[in-house]
Amino acid sequence: MGLKRREFLQQAGWVLAALGISEAGWERLGDRYQNALAQPTARKLALLVGVDRYPDSPLHGCVTDVELQRELLIYRFGFQPSDILTLTDAQATRENIETAFVTHLTQQAKPGDAVVFHFSGCGSRVSLGDSPEVMHNSLVPADDVLLSKADRTVNDILESTLLHLLRSLATESAIAILDTSYIYPGSDKKGNFRIRTRPRPFIGQSSLAELAFREQIQSRINNHPGGAIVLAAAAPDQVAAEQAWSGFTAGLFTYALTQTLWWATPASSWQVILSRAAGAVEQKMGLAQQPEMHSDLKVSNDDLPVSFAGSLWNSPA
């Protein structure tokens, strides 16, 4: 799946520009990723999730994202294949994803280990039973359900559940990459781009099983450092997209991140890649999708949406 250097340099520039990333911001994002994974550690663990086959509106590049990320971790950052667990399409149910996070990451990771969680798929927004007026970001698993007037319960993974899982890790060297978005813009396409948001104009309610699991995980985070970094494909009010290249489809953010990191050494290659981005913003996504980097993860209140401190645009270098 990897591209030859010449082909990548010809194609990647407009992707970076389409994502609306400044040179300084992209360097900070890449540096944080590399610093967390390139250091010698006792062990490096990863859980990679990609869902294309949704029941009512399939995607096409999420399984490819998993393949790109897996190749990067093994051949660029020295992960052992046996320490990388992948869940794609029908495997990636809500229960399977959450169980795999606990058994493969939480129960195995020790202080100083490196941990990566990657999700490519649709995002959405859900309400909780006790506060239906407050919307919460969520990740849509493979066992997504079609809502009816009688039952609006969904199987989504709450974003706050994921943050609790990240904070339950015993290591501070953890990264989550979320190539998804939560706001449905009224269409599942933007030009030639496919939007990674569940294409429904109404909001579902979180399942009791998800709420119980979140409460269970929350009880484990008191004595853990919670130093994870979240790399998000788009700001909360923007859309994340995927694009078809010659022979394959991939998420714009995952493609740009993984391919750029392949060529990020020596540092001068950043200049080469970014120089190809000039003038491409208006031709592609413009400023409609701007990746963010979040650290110091906080869930301020169970009845409030997840909040982050810091972003790709204003965090210190």
Side-chain angles (χ1 to χ4, degrees), residues 202-223:
F202 47 83
I203 302 298
Q205 294 181 350
S206 184
S207 68
L208 294 178
E210 171 64 9
L211 295 177
F213 178 80
R214 186 183 68 159
E215 183 176 354
Q216 176 187 358
I217 296 301
Q218 186 178 6
S219 66
R220 304 177 183 176
I221 66 177
N222 293 333
N223 297 322

Side-chain angles (χ1 to χ4, degrees), residues 219-287:
S219 66
R220 304 177 183 176
I221 66 177
N222 293 333
N223 297 322
H224 290 284
I229 298 167
V230 175
L231 304 182
D237 59 347
Q238 296 176 335
V239 294
E242 61 181 32
Q243 165 74 16
W245 279 269
S246 177
F248 70 97
T249 300
L252 286 177
F253 180 58
T254 298
Y255 178 78
L257 178 66
T258 57
Q259 297 301 317
T260 300
L261 287 169
W262 272 110
W263 307 110
T265 303
S268 59
S269 65
W270 289 99
Q271 304 296 330
V272 175
I273 294 169
L274 289 166
S275 69
R276 303 299 180 101
V281 173
E282 293 183 1
Q283 299 176 15
K284 301 297 178 181
M285 286 289 285
L287 298 179

Side-chain angles (χ1 to χ4, degrees), residues 32-33 36-37 101 105-106 109 112-118 159-178 221 224-232 292-299 306-311 315:
R32 294 294 291 273
Y33 190 106
L37 299 185
F101 196 108
L105 301 182
T106 305
D113 288 351
V115 170
V116 173
F117 173 79
H118 179 106
E159 190 180 59
S160 56
T161 300
L162 175 60
L163 298 190
H164 288 322
L165 285 167
L166 290 169
R167 294 189 65 200
S168 73
L169 294 167
T171 179
E172 294 185 356
S173 298
I175 293 179
I177 300 98
L178 305 181
I221 66 177
H224 290 284
I229 298 167
V230 175
L231 304 182
E292 294 190 338
M293 179 173 66
H294 307 286
S295 58
D296 187 20
L297 307 184
K298 297 178 180 179
V299 183
V306 173
S307 64
F308 296 99
S311 74
S315 59

Side-chain angles (χ1 to χ4, degrees), residues 74-111:
I74 293 173
Y75 299 111
R76 178 67 176 81
F77 292 105
F79 279 59
Q80 295 298 316
S82 59
D83 286 332
I84 300 176
L85 177 61
T86 63
L87 297 175
T88 57
D89 287 334
Q91 300 171 324
T93 64
R94 180 194 63 81
E95 184 176 2
N96 284 353
I97 294 170
E98 293 176 340
T99 299
F101 196 108
V102 172
T103 58
H104 185 66
L105 301 182
T106 305
Q107 293 180 358
Q108 294 195 83
K110 296 178 174 57

